[in-house]
C-alpha cells in the first residue's frame, strides 16, 4: 500500500501549478461502465482489474490547458480506496463520479444510488476532518452553505463537501428495454436524489457520451449551468440547476423516495404482466391446428363429410 501512496504523491507534485487540474474518482457497482467511460474520455484502453486504476488526460477547456486525473475504483476495493486520492492539497479540485447502470435492475436503481451517495458523503467528511484543520473545514462548510442558501429549495438540499456527478450509463439499453412511463419515473427519481444531495446528473452511453464530457468539464471550470431535463432524451443537469417544482414529486406523503420506488415497481410489474397476457393470447390458426387432438380431427372430418352427403341428397330431390 505504501507504493500506492507514493504514486499518488508523485501525481500531485508533477501536475504544473499553472494549469487547471482536477481529479475524478469513478466509483459504483461492478460492470456499471466505469472503465468504458474513462476509455471514452481519454481515448486510452483501460483493462478491467480490481483495485485503483489511474489515467491522466491533457485537454483544453474553454481556452484553458487542463490536466485531468481519473482514478477508477474497481471490484471490492470501493469502500477501502474511495477517499485514498483525497488530501489537503487536492480536495478543492476533486469530484466523485458515481456510475449507475441504468439497464440493470431498474426497480432498485434509486435505492442503490441513495445508499452510495450516503456512503460517499460520510467517508468524505471523515477524511476531510482528518486531512485539513478545523478552521479550513468550517470555511469549506460556509462556502457550500452560501451557494445552497441562494436556491429556493435550500431547506431540502443536503450539502456535499466534495461534488458528486451521478452518471446513468447504458442509456441506449435503458431507452430500448423500458417503456416510456417507467423511464419517466426512474428519471424523475434520480433527479430528486441528485437535486436534494447537491449532485449533478447526466445520462450517457457508448454511442453518445458528450453530455458526460461536458458535465465533467463544468466541474473543472464552471461556466453556465446545464439543464437538459427532457425525459425522452438524455438528462444533463448540473448541481443546483434543478428544482423540486420541475421534478414533479409523486403523491407519497412524507418520503418522496418511497413514492418514486412504489410507482416504478408497480409500473414495471404492470408492463411485465401485460406482456405475458399478450404473449398468451397470440395463438394463430396455424398454432391452433397444431394443438388439435387426433380424435377431434376425425370427428370434424366426419362431420364435414356428412354435411356434404346431406347437401348432395337435397340437390337430387330438387332435381
Amino acid at each position: 500500500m505504501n507504493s500506492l501512496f507514493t504514486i499518488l504523491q508523485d501525481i500531485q507534485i508533477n501536475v504544473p501549478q499553472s494549469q487547471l487540474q482536477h481529479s475524478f474518482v469513478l466509483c459504483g457497482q461492478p460492470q456499471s461502465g466505469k472503465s468504458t467511460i474513462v476509455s471514452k474520455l481519454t481515448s486510452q484502453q483501460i483493462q478491467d482489474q480490481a483495485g485503483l486504476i489511474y489515467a491522466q488526460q491533457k485537454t483544453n477547456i474553454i481556452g484553458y490547458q487542463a490536466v485531468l486525473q481519473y482514478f477508477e475504483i474497481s471490484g471490492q476495493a470501493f469502500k477501502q480506496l474511495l477517499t485514498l486520492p483525497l488530501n489537503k492539497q487536492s480536495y478543492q479540485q476533486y469530484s466523485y463520479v458515481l456510475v449507475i447502470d441504468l439497464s440493470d435492475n431498474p426497480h432498485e436503481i434509486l435505492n442503490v444510488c441513495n445508499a452510495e451517495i450516503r456512503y460517499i458523503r460520510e467517508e468524505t467528511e471523515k477524511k476531510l476532518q482528518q486531512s485539513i484543520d478545523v478552521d479550513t473545514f468550517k470555511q469549506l462548510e460556509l462556502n457550500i452553505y452560501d451557494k445552497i442558501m441562494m436556491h429556493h429549495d435550500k431547506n431540502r438540499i443536503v450539502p456535499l463537501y466534495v461534488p458528486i456527478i451521478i452518471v446513468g450509463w447504458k442509456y441506449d439499453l435503458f431507452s430500448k428495454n423500458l417503456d416510456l412511463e417507467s423511464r419517466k419515473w426512474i428519471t424523475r427519481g434520480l433527479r430528486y436524489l441528485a437535486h436534494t444531495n447537491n449532485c449533478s446528473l447526466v445520462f450517457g452511453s457508448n454511442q453518445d457520451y458528450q453530455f458526460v464530457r461536458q458535465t465533467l468539464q463544468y466541474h473543472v471550470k464552471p461556466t453556465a449551468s446545464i439543464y437538459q431535463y427532457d425525459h425522452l432524451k438524455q438528462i444533463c443537469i448540473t448541481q443546483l440547476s434543478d428544482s423540486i417544482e420541475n421534478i414533479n414529486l409523486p403523491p407519497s406523503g412524507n418520503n418522496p423516495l418511497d413514492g418514486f420506488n412504489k410507482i416504478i415497481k408497480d409500473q414495471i410489474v404492470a408492463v411485465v404482466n401485460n406482456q405475458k397476457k399478450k404473449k398468451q393470447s397470440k395463438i394463430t390458426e396455424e398454432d391452433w391446428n397444431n394443438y388439435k387432438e387426433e380424435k377431434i380431427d376425425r370427428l370434424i372430418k366426419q362431420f364435414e363429410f356428412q354435411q356434404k352427403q346431406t347437401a348432395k341428397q337435397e340437390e337430387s330431390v330438387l332435381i
Side-chain angles (χ1 to χ4, degrees):
M1 187 63 73
N2 290 334
S3 61
L4 185 55
F5 275 107
T6 304
I7 291 169
L8 291 171
Q9 187 178 19
D10 289 341
I11 288 168
Q12 297 297 334
I13 292 171
N14 291 333
V15 176
Q17 295 299 314
S18 59
Q19 294 181 323
L20 289 175
Q21 52 185 297
H22 204 92
S23 297
F24 293 103
V25 177
L26 284 85
C27 54
Q29 298 288 304
Q31 307 301 318
S32 56
K34 299 182 294 294
S35 296
T36 304
I37 291 172
V38 176
S39 295
K40 293 289 185 183
L41 295 174
T42 64
S43 300
Q44 299 175 30
Q45 188 61 40
I46 306 297
Q47 300 295 328
D48 288 337
Q49 62 187 63
L52 186 67
I53 302 168
Y54 174 76
Q56 189 180 88
Q57 177 192 23
K58 294 182 180 180
T59 187
N60 186 288
I61 300 177
I62 59 171
Y64 292 86
Q65 291 297 313
V67 177
L68 308 183
Q69 301 175 101
Y70 300 91
F71 298 91
E72 180 199 337
I73 303 174
S74 300
Q76 296 301 316
F78 172 51
K79 293 186 176 181
Q80 290 78 15
L81 302 178
L82 178 66
T83 61
L84 186 58
L86 181 63
N87 55 48
K88 62 182 179 181
Q89 286 83 29
S90 68
Y91 75 92
Q92 291 180 311
Q93 295 88 34
Y94 193 96
S95 299
Y96 293 105
V97 180
L98 174 57
V99 184
I100 302 293
D101 184 350
L102 292 172
S103 68
D104 184 38
N105 293 325
H107 59 287
E108 289 294 338
I109 284 178
L110 300 188
N111 291 332
V112 169
C113 188
N114 188 40
E116 294 191 353
I117 290 172
R118 286 185 176 182
Y119 182 80
I120 293 170
R121 175 186 285 108
E122 291 168 2
E123 293 301 305
T124 300
E125 184 174 353
K126 284 185 207 172
K127 182 67 177 286
L128 284 174
Q129 287 176 338
Q130 295 168 2
S131 303
I132 60 179
D133 60 82
V134 175
D135 290 338
T136 305
F137 187 80
K138 286 182 178 178
Q139 187 59 51
L140 175 62
E141 282 186 312
L142 285 173
N143 293 341
I144 294 167
Y145 274 107
D146 283 345
K147 292 178 182 177
I148 292 174
M149 292 305 290
M150 291 188 291
H151 198 287
H152 55 270
D153 292 332
K154 56 183 178 291
N155 295 328
R156 305 185 74 164
I157 299 174
V158 182
L160 276 177
Y161 298 102
V162 171
I164 298 176
I165 303 161
I166 303 170
V167 177
W169 197 244
K170 304 181 186 178
Y171 175 77
D172 51 338
L173 298 178
F174 176 69
S175 58
K176 178 182 177 182
N177 298 334
L178 281 179
D179 67 289
L180 176 60
E181 197 67 15
S182 299
R183 297 201 318 263
K184 180 182 72 175
W185 284 105
I186 290 171
T187 301
R188 283 181 177 171
L190 287 172
R191 283 176 64 188
Y192 170 77
L193 279 178
H195 180 55
T196 54
N197 286 285
N198 196 19
C199 303
S200 294
L201 174 65
V202 59
F203 289 174
S205 67
N206 289 350
Q207 294 75 31
D208 193 349
Y209 52 91
Q210 293 310 312
F211 272 144
V212 177
R213 186 190 301 278
Q214 289 177 31
T215 306
L216 267 59
Q217 290 185 353
Y218 172 86
H219 281 264
V220 178
K221 185 70 176 173
T223 52
S225 59
I226 309 170
Y227 190 46
Q228 160 55 38
Y229 64 96
D230 187 340
H231 295 134
L232 297 177
K233 299 177 183 178
Q234 291 181 203
I235 291 293
C236 183
I237 303 174
T238 49
Q239 58 183 171
L240 295 177
S241 338
D242 213 342
S243 70
I244 295 295
E245 182 181 2
N246 288 339
I247 292 170
N248 189 12
L249 300 184
S252 57
N254 295 327
N255 192 337
L257 186 59
D258 289 342
F260 279 118
N261 276 323
K262 184 178 186 310
I263 290 174
I264 291 165
K265 288 178 182 178
D266 289 348
Q267 177 63 25
I268 290 174
V269 168
V271 169
V272 170
N273 290 338
N274 191 40
Q275 288 173 345
K276 285 180 180 179
K277 288 179 182 178
K278 286 183 178 179
K279 189 174 180 181
Q280 291 170 353
S281 65
K282 286 183 179 178
I283 302 177
T284 63
E285 186 177 349
E286 183 180 351
D287 293 329
W288 177 251
N289 289 334
N290 291 333
Y291 287 111
K292 288 181 178 178
E293 295 182 10
E294 188 177 347
K295 289 181 179 179
I296 295 175
D297 287 343
R298 287 203 302 268
L299 288 171
I300 290 173
K301 288 180 181 178
Q302 183 178 352
F303 176 73
E304 290 174 348
F305 176 78
Q306 289 176 347
Q307 280 189 316
K308 289 179 182 179
Q309 290 295 107
T310 303
K312 285 182 180 178
Q313 289 175 2
E314 290 176 351
E315 287 177 5
S316 62
V317 170
L318 290 172
I319 292 170

